[in-house]
Each structure stands twice: as structure tokens, then as C-alpha cells.
């Protein structure tokens, strides 16, 4: 327990002296010295210079040894795969992007080969080989059904529905891996690095090409019996066609019905054209119009009210292309439209994660898995 407490402090606070570790953990100086010697012998910590500018002898600084383990994080979308490789401290060493056209469609085990290529290119940039990886986390639309092992709710990702996909990926990469819903990973990023820090009960609503939600209650992700908790894109709402049967298997994220047909990125652009802006080609261009922004806010507020009435979170975080393009102006309108729609009144915030929140969440999850294994000195 003392070893893990010291390692967690070194990860979160950076290099520390023996005295600082003793003060923060409540350990005596001899015990802290023995602890650091043990962790150094195990290859988990190393010295990194001295603390200067204080009275007395310079104190030696200790840090987590970044070579103790490396992890890979991947974010999958219909156009390709983004991969990042980091050391155990969380420092990203290499990143790569592989398009779906990088491997021919008729190639056996094409999806596994695409994943392997993305990881290998990130490893190459980092100057590492696969043997240095401890594990990987892959974020994809949809969710793995724990009962069948199949990826559900992601018909627009051909090749990812194989029952044996996880085993194929593990065999190709040669490392343990986790396949996680991309919106759940975005919520992990918000909880650790973004707008949901210090919140144990919140909902992240992802509004992009597709629409989904991650529900965090008591600090834990709610997954549901088939992994489908938060698939609010299918949620029936006034003004949206119902998603029935075959509509769920449509290959395009803007097909089908439900909430997604009201606020998804393609629908926002379509709404602008219905309002006479025939030349609009982007979500940002559509939301620059006051009339479109107001209508999207009304639709978003209606959908949020249904979620909030059931879950009653303290916070709703809006993430994805549509909220990012609409910014504070859209958020304020959503908050105004929300008045009176549901009795609970959570805070409503825009995600402030820099970069790809799905990749950030995948990295956070991979690091947590690796540290639980590598930092176990029992």
C-alpha cells in the first residue's frame, strides 16, 4: 500500500524528494528510504537530479521510471484510426493516423491489420517496438455486448462486428487490449482533465456525425445489460422519425430516426439549407446563423430534458463537433431553452478538452490498467 501511494504521488505531482514523499504519505524517513530503494530495485522509480535553492545539502529527486511500461491508445471512426503511444507517466511519444483505405477491402482480417498498422506507425515515431507495449485501449462507436462479444450500435463500421474481433486484435498485437465505447472514453477524459473534474454524477452528450451519451453515476460509468446505456441517438423525440428495425442497421450515422436525426452534424447542415442557406457546407457555417443556432438549441434542450428527467445528474457536458462549433452562444441558448422542461437543473458546460477527447480517454484508461499491473509490488 505504501509503495502504491508513493508511486501515485510521483505520477500526479512529478519528481519528489524522500522527505516530501515521507511528509505526503506520513511515513518515517527510514521507511521512505527503504521504500524508494525497493522501488528503484524493481525498476519503477529513478533519480532525476537534485532539489536546489534550499538550506542544507541538496536533496535527491525521484520520479517514476518512464521505461517501466508503455501503452497504446486508439480512436476509431468511419474514416480511419488514430493511435498514440505513451510511457507509464502519460507522456505521449508517438502518434499516427491511418485511413481505412490503407488496407485493401478484400484483405483477410482487414480490421485487425488496420489497427496493427496504426499502432506500428505510432511506435515507429516513438522509437519503440511492440514488445515494449504493456496494453492497449481502443475507442469505437458502439459498444461490445458482454453476452455475445459483438460490437453493437455501430453499423457504419463494417468489419468491426465480428464475434472474434477482440481475439483477432489481441493475436495481431500480442498484448492485452480493451475495446470501449468512444463516448464513454470522452467522459473519462472530461472526468480527469476537463469540465467534469470533481463531479461524480454527470452526463456527457456527444453530438457529432453520430449522437450518444456517457452516463457517470457515483463516479462509475453506467454501461447497461448489453453495453448500450447512453445510446440516445435512437431516443424517440417529437419531430424526429422513429428508428425502427432496419433503420438501426443503416450504414450512415445520419440515417434512421430519433434524436440523432434532429441534432447530428449532417442534420444541422440540412437545417441551414432548409432555412435558405444553400451554400452552407460545414456545421460551423450552419451554426453561425442565428435562426439555425436557436433551433438546434431547442432540439438539444428537448433531448437533454428526457435524459435529465431519468438520470438527474449534477452536470451535463456537451461535446463533439456541434457543441464545439456552436460554442458558448449555443450553450447559453440550450440552458435558456431547458428552463421548465425538467425539474432537475444541472449545470450545462461545453467540453474544454484540447485535442481528441476519445484518444485522451483511451490513454487515461490504458494508463490506469497498466499502472494497476505494473505498480503492484506485492
Amino acid at each position: 500500500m505504501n509503495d502504491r501511494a508513493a508511486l501515485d504521488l510521483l505520477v500526479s505531482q512529478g519528481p519528489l524528494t524522500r522527505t516530501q514523499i515521507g511528509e505526503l504519505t506520513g511515513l518515517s524517513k527510514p521507511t521512505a528510504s527503504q521504500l524508494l530503494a525497493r522501488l528503484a530495485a524493481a525498476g519503477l522509480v529513478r533519480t532525476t537530479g537534485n532539489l536546489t535553492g534550499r538550506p542544507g545539502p541538496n536533496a535527491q529527486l525521484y520520479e517514476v521510471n518512464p521505461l517501466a511500461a508503455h501503452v497504446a491508445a486508439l480512436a476509431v471512426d468511419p474514416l480511419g484510426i488514430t493511435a498514440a503511444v505513451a510511457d507509464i507517466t502519460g507522456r505521449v511519444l508517438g502518434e499516427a493516423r491511418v485511413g481505412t483505405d490503407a488496407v485493401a477491402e478484400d484483405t483477410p482480417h482487414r480490421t485487425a491489420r488496420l489497427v496493427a498498422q496504426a499502432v506500428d506507425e505510432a511506435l515507429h515515431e516513438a522509437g519503440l517496438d511492440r514488445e515494449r507495449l504493456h496494453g492497449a485501449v481502443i475507442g469505437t462507436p458502439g459498444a461490445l455486448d458482454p453476452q455475445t462479444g459483438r460490437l453493437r450500435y455501430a453499423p457504419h463500421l463494417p468489419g468491426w462486428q465480428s464475434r472474434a474481433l477482440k481475439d483477432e486484435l489481441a493475436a495481431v498485437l500480442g498484448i492485452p487490449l480493451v475495446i470501449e465505447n468512444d463516448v464513454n472514453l470522452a467522459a473519462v477524459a472530461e472526468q480527469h482533465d476537463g469540465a467534469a473534474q470533481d463531479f461524480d454524477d454527470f452526463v456527457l452528450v456527444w453530438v457529432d456525425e453520430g449522437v450518444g451519451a456517457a452516463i457517470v453515476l457515483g463516479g462509475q460509468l453506467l454501461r447497461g445489460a448489453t453495453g448500450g446505456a447512453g445510446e440516445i441517438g435512437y431516443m424517440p423525440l417529437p419531430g424526429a422519425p422513429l428508428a425502427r428495425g432496419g433503420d438501426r442497421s443503416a450504414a450512415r450515422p445520419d440515417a434512421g430516426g430519433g434524436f440523432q436525426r434532429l441534432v447530428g452534424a449532417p442534420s444541422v447542415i440540412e437545417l441551414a439549407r432548409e432555412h435558405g442557406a444553400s451554400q452552407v457546407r460545414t456545421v460551423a457555417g450552419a451554426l453561425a446563423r442565428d435562426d439555425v443556432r436557436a433551433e438546434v438549441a431547442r432540439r438539444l434542450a428537448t433531448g437533454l430534458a428526457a435524459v435529465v428527467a431519468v438520470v438527474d445528474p449534477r452536470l451535463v457536458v456537451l461535446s463533439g463537433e456541434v457543441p464545439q462549433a456552436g460554442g458558448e452562444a449555443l450553450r447559453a441558448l440550450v440552458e435558456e431553452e431547458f428552463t421548465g422542461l425538467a425539474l432537475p437543473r444541472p449545470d450545462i458546460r461545453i467540453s474544454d478538452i484540447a485535442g481528441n477527447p476519445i484518444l485522451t480517454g483511451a490513454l487515461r484508461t490504458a494508463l490506469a490498467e497498466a499502472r494497476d499491473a505494473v505498480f503492484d509490488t506485492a
Side-chain angles (χ1 to χ4, degrees):
M1 291 174 64
N2 290 337
D3 289 355
R4 181 60 190 263
L7 288 165
D8 287 341
L9 282 170
L10 290 171
V11 165
S12 63
Q13 299 193 26
L16 296 170
T17 66
R18 180 198 63 182
T19 299
Q20 289 171 329
I21 290 174
E23 291 173 348
L24 291 168
T25 59
L27 300 176
S28 67
K29 287 184 179 181
T31 301
S33 295
Q34 294 169 5
L35 176 151
L36 288 168
R38 182 168 60 250
L39 295 180
L44 295 178
V45 303
R46 67 182 186 183
T47 57
T48 179
N50 298 295
L51 182 64
T52 60
R54 300 176 66 180
N58 292 337
Q60 205 163 41
L61 287 166
Y62 294 84
E63 68 176 0
V64 169
N65 184 355
L67 302 179
H70 297 83
V71 298
L74 299 95
V76 178
D77 60 69
L79 300 180
I81 301 171
T82 302
V85 170
D87 62 34
I88 194 70
T89 70
R91 183 167 65 100
V92 175
L93 305 175
E95 192 167 330
R97 170 76 179 176
V98 172
T100 53
D101 57 355
V103 177
E105 290 189 11
D106 58 351
T107 302
H109 307 300
R110 176 172 177 261
T111 299
R113 290 176 182 271
L114 282 169
V115 169
Q117 182 171 334
V119 171
D120 285 343
E121 290 188 11
L123 283 168
H124 178 74
E125 183 177 307
L128 301 170
D129 53 36
R130 286 191 195 173
E131 285 68 29
R132 301 292 295 276
L133 284 181
H134 184 276
V137 172
I138 304 174
T140 73
L144 277 185
D145 187 327
Q147 300 177 29
T148 66
R150 291 184 182 275
L151 189 71
R152 304 187 67 194
Y153 312 104
H156 55 298
L157 287 183
W160 284 83
Q161 278 77 34
S162 168
R163 184 189 296 269
L165 179 62
K166 187 174 180 179
D167 292 335
E168 292 174 9
L169 293 173
V172 168
L173 294 178
I175 56 175
L177 62 87
V178 173
I179 300 177
E180 177 62 277
N181 172 262
D182 54 358
V183 182
N184 283 350
L185 292 176
V188 170
E190 294 293 343
Q191 195 170 22
H192 286 277
D193 304 297
Q197 294 181 66
D198 301 322
F199 283 83
D200 288 333
D201 299 282
F202 72 95
V203 173
L204 179 135
V205 177
W206 181 267
V207 191
D208 207 288
E209 289 284 326
V211 175
I215 301 168
V216 177
L217 298 176
Q220 301 296 316
L221 279 165
L222 178 67
R223 301 181 183 280
T226 64
E231 290 292 338
I232 62 172
Y234 298 116
M235 187 169 61
L237 288 174
L242 294 176
R244 295 183 183 274
D247 289 342
R248 289 178 176 263
S249 62
R252 298 192 335 272
D254 60 323
F259 192 29
Q260 185 161 285
R261 282 295 297 272
L262 291 180
V263 296
S267 298
V268 171
I269 295 172
E270 180 184 347
L271 178 63
R273 292 172 180 170
E274 290 173 358
H275 281 72
S278 59
Q279 302 303 312
V280 167
R281 296 288 183 272
T282 66
V283 172
L287 289 173
R289 294 176 56 98
D290 292 343
D291 51 355
V292 174
R293 191 164 59 246
E295 176 60 19
V296 171
R298 185 189 67 79
R299 295 178 178 187
L300 274 171
T302 302
L304 293 182
V307 176
V308 168
V310 174
V311 179
D312 188 19
R314 287 183 55 210
L315 171 71
V316 172
V317 180
L318 302 177
S319 189
E321 183 184 9
V322 172
Q324 291 297 326
E328 174 58 23
L330 178 64
R331 188 212 64 81
L333 285 172
V334 171
E335 189 172 64
E336 182 180 334
E337 289 285 345
F338 193 82
T339 303
L341 291 179
L343 288 178
R345 288 299 305 272
D347 289 341
I348 299 175
R349 300 180 183 178
I350 300 286
S351 169
D352 57 7
I353 293 290
N356 185 332
I358 297 166
L359 196 64
T360 299
L363 182 59
R364 277 285 186 182
T365 303
L367 286 169
E369 296 266 346
R371 289 167 184 166
D372 281 345
V374 175
F375 288 176
D376 183 3
T377 61

